Amino acid sequence: MKISLTKKKDQSLPEQIFQSISDRILSGLISEGEKLPSVRKLAEQLGVSLVTVQKSYEMLEKKQLIERRQGKGSYAKRSVKRIEEENPYNWQNMIEDFLPRAQTWKEMKSFSRQHKYNLSLANLAHELLPVEHLTEISTLVIQDEPTILSSYSPGPGDQILREVVSEYLLDEGLEVSAEQIVITSGAQQGLELIARTFLGEGDVVFVEAPTYIGIIDILKSRGVTIKTIPTNEDGMNLNVLLQMCEQFSPKFIYTNPTFQNPTGTILSEKKRRRLVEIAQAFHVIIIEDDPWGELRFEGSTKPMKSIDEDGHVIYLKSFSKPISPGFRVGCIVADGKILNKLKAAKSVSDLGSPLLNQRIIARFIQSFNFEAHFKKMNNLLLLRRDLLIDTLNHLDIEGLRWTVPCGGPVMWITFPTHVNTEHLLIDCLKQELLFLPSAMCYPNEPEVNHLRISYGNLSLKTYKEALEIFKEIVKSHMESLDPFTEDTPLF
């Protein structure tokens, strides 16, 4: 277990050790019941005093993340079974790893269990996607270009797809050349390439609070210092951001400005321009993540990259949500030396994304009526959003609040502060219902009284069933709570 310690004014050594171990426990990298290193052994490994490690373990015990047994050691909590004695792979604990957190992996494991009512996965249901047309195009591409099956793609991506994407982005209000585009295996790979290329231990990155769980895992794997910027109904609080830029020296600002994940909010046009100005003033790079900007119910907003004149914005686009998650095609748009370095990093990473997938997506974009498709899809998503709002109104819970997204497939719901949505999730799982608890969406001290619901992942029939079940579980859970006693956090 590799723990990196730095001299931070705002976080003591015990707090850093606590954060690192708690991240591993909560994301499943340290298994339930697994024995932790002794205080003495960990102190020797990290080069710190016994008192420092002792304080960290006391913090973990206070948060109910470990159980300390007299004369036997400390164990990851939630299971008292001595699984380390029964597991034949325990010797692998001696192999040092550099993976500090894996909430994305934990969340993906829950998807693979095929919960009947999965309101957690921010995806679109089969019935909302252009599956039939994709099937036809896939067959035609293989028939017309069989040599693709025995060919690699250029590292930065297939030239045909890059030119097609350039035209596609123009319709979205972003004018870029094919040479500015790097094709990736989904936007997640784009984020990982940016982090691996430009971020190292000690760098400072600002993210929204709450934020996309995938970016937290990536940033923590690089050993960076993550600072959070609060958000409100129109996106990131730029007054706080400006103060933070003056106090720290951030290298990147990560934002999901269009139907933000997980809140569904949108950064206003005025704020977009101001954010770019702040980045220019402090020589900071903005990572603009745009997974589903096309899924819009009302209004119109151009990407921030469209007003970037000197390369302060790296733009990420995913085609998983609007077209198909099965093809895992996305892109990075950048400029100058940053672009060249990302092209090199992509080539080193995997020699290029699968050529077949790229050609299918290219021909699909060229032949498909997106205007009609998005109009139909967005009307169906709007219906689902309104069904969720109607369900929440019928709960009649004092202090219950929620965002009202103008697009995208997710909504953020805030319960009174005495509610822990991790505990609510336990009740929901008993009936095969899953949502995303808010604790996963914070890189540091989490807030536990929120949750994210995806209203696009299920068929309409199953979705309506899920909302009825969710309503009854929430009512029952709220009746069981004492509003004057704050629910003990699991995160």
Side-chain angles (χ1 to χ4, degrees):
M1 179 168 58
K2 174 68 174 179
I3 298 178
S4 298
L5 301 178
T6 58
K7 294 181 180 179
K8 300 179 180 180
K9 295 181 180 179
D10 60 334
Q11 194 175 39
S12 66
L13 291 178
E15 289 171 334
Q16 291 179 55
I17 297 169
F18 160 78
Q19 186 70 58
S20 183
I21 296 176
S22 65
D23 280 342
R24 285 173 162 87
I25 293 173
L26 294 171
S27 63
L29 289 178
I30 295 179
S31 304
E32 298 175 5
E34 184 176 324
K35 187 175 182 180
L36 273 63
S38 68
V39 170
R40 183 175 299 279
K41 184 175 181 180
L42 188 57
E44 292 175 354
Q45 178 187 329
L46 300 178
V48 298
S49 68
L50 295 175
V51 173
T52 296
V53 177
Q54 181 69 21
K55 288 181 179 178
S56 302
Y57 277 25
E58 288 173 357
M59 294 165 69
L60 289 165
E61 186 177 31
K62 185 176 180 181
K63 290 289 186 179
Q64 300 183 26
L65 291 172
I66 66 171
E67 178 183 9
R68 306 179 77 181
R69 305 175 193 168
Q70 186 67 33
K72 295 183 179 180
S74 301
Y75 298 82
K77 204 169 178 182
R78 300 185 196 171
S79 172
V80 296
K81 188 179 177 182
R82 291 292 298 274
I83 63 172
E84 73 285 348
E85 292 179 354
E86 303 173 6
N87 190 336
Y89 305 111
N90 263 308
W91 65 270
Q92 294 179 358
N93 293 334
M94 297 183 293
I95 308 299
E96 187 176 44
D97 70 82
F98 295 84
L99 191 62
R101 175 188 137 133
Q103 288 290 9
T104 308
W105 170 65
K106 181 180 179 182
E107 187 68 2
M108 294 305 292
K109 282 203 301 181
S110 70
F111 302 157
S112 67
R113 295 190 190 109
Q114 299 298 319
H115 296 281
K116 183 176 181 180
Y117 305 110
N118 192 334
L119 298 174
S120 178
L121 183 59
N123 209 349
L124 297 184
H126 182 88
E127 64 189 41
L128 296 175
L129 295 172
V131 177
E132 289 185 9
H133 191 61
L134 271 171
T135 302
E136 294 172 4
I137 292 295
S138 300
T139 302
L140 287 173
V141 169
I142 294 173
Q143 289 176 347
D144 295 345
E145 305 176 70
T147 56
I148 288 176
L149 299 174
S150 58
S151 303
Y152 283 110
S153 163
D158 179 50
Q159 185 64 23
I160 293 175
L161 178 58
R162 291 162 74 194
E163 291 173 357
V164 169
V165 169
S166 174
E167 295 176 6
Y168 179 91
L169 293 177
L170 186 60
D171 291 337
E172 297 298 311
L174 179 57
E175 184 176 356
V176 295
S177 69
E179 291 306 311
Q180 291 175 265
I181 296 170
V182 179
I183 301 299
T184 59
S185 298
Q188 185 73 9
Q189 186 190 44
L191 291 172
E192 200 276 334
L193 286 174
I194 293 168
R196 181 152 45 87
T197 304
F198 296 107
L199 293 175
E201 195 168 303
D203 286 333
V204 177
V205 176
F206 292 170
V207 303
E208 296 150 323
T211 192
Y212 167 52
I213 62 173
I215 190 63
I216 301 175
D217 288 353
I218 288 173
L219 295 178
K220 291 209 170 189
S221 72
R222 300 302 301 166
V224 306
T225 298
I226 307 174
K227 298 292 181 181
T228 55
I229 310 297
T231 58
N232 48 38
E233 64 277 358
D234 65 343
M236 188 183 293
N237 187 322
L238 298 188
N239 291 328
V240 174
L241 174 68
L242 188 58
Q243 295 172 6
M244 296 281 282
C245 283
E246 291 172 347
Q247 183 177 357
F248 303 95
S249 298
K251 197 168 188 178
F252 286 98
I253 300 170
Y254 171 80
T255 180
N256 182 196
T258 307
F259 318 129
Q260 196 249 7
N261 187 2
T263 64
T265 57
I266 187 166
L267 192 69
S268 66
E269 187 70 31
K270 181 179 179 181
K271 278 191 169 185
R272 290 174 188 241
R273 293 188 177 278
R274 181 58 179 147
L275 180 53
V276 173
E277 290 172 358
I278 291 172
Q280 292 170 338
F282 288 92
H283 300 294
V284 183
I285 297 295
I286 297 170
I287 303 175
E288 180 183 10
D289 193 359
D290 181 14
W292 45 52
E294 302 92 333
L295 310 183
R296 182 183 303 276
F297 312 147
E298 60 184 72
S300 61
T301 306
K302 293 182 179 180
M304 276 191 296
K305 184 63 181 172
S306 66
I307 56 175
D308 174 36
E309 298 178 351
D310 49 11
H312 278 86
V313 180
I314 300 175
Y315 177 78
L316 287 154
K317 181 68 201 166
S318 171
F319 295 103
S320 295
K321 301 302 184 293
I323 299 178
S324 169
F327 282 96
R328 301 300 296 141
V329 174
C331 72
I332 302 172
V333 178
D335 310 274
K337 291 185 177 180
I338 287 178
L339 172 63
N340 292 334
K341 290 176 182 179
L342 288 172
K343 286 181 177 180
K346 169 61 177 173
S347 300
V348 170
S349 175
D350 62 5
L351 304 180
S353 296
L355 182 58
L356 176 60
N357 293 7
Q358 294 184 66
R359 287 290 173 86
I360 291 172
I361 295 298
R363 194 178 300 195
F364 177 86
I365 293 174
Q366 288 173 318
S367 63
F368 193 61
N369 186 344
F370 279 102
E371 183 178 356
H373 170 65
F374 287 139
K375 183 178 181 180
K376 179 181 178 181
M377 178 193 290
N378 292 341
N379 284 336
L380 292 172
L381 283 173
L382 179 60
L383 169 65
R384 291 156 179 261
R385 184 206 70 178
D386 290 347
L387 286 171
L388 176 55
I389 291 174
D390 185 61
T391 298
L392 296 173
N393 279 322
H394 279 85
L395 284 171
D396 195 27
I397 297 173
E398 185 176 356
L400 183 68
R401 297 179 287 112
W402 55 87
T403 58
V404 182
C406 297
V410 298
M411 182 185 290
W412 189 248
I413 301 169
T414 299
F415 283 81
T417 55
H418 69 280
V419 177
N420 185 331
T421 56
E422 272 285 306
H423 295 167
L424 175 61
L425 179 61
I426 293 172
D427 290 346
C428 288
L429 287 172
K430 294 174 184 176
Q431 297 197 45
E432 294 189 76
L433 191 146
L434 183 67
F435 60 76
L436 184 71
S438 59
M440 291 187 177
C441 303
Y442 294 87
N444 302 317
E445 193 66 27
E447 296 181 14
V448 298
N449 63 310
H450 319 272
L451 62 86
R452 186 196 75 184
I453 281 185
S454 168
Y455 45 81
N457 184 46
L458 302 174
S459 70
L460 185 59
K461 179 179 181 294
T462 306
Y463 176 65
K464 289 179 178 179
E465 293 175 7
L467 292 183
E468 285 299 315
I469 293 171
F470 177 73
K471 181 171 64 175
E472 295 306 315
I473 294 174
V474 170
K475 285 182 178 179
S476 175
H477 186 82
M478 295 301 294
E479 290 172 359
S480 70
L481 296 179
D482 179 355
F484 301 104
T485 304
E486 191 163 319
D487 215 356
T488 304
L490 292 180
F491 278 72

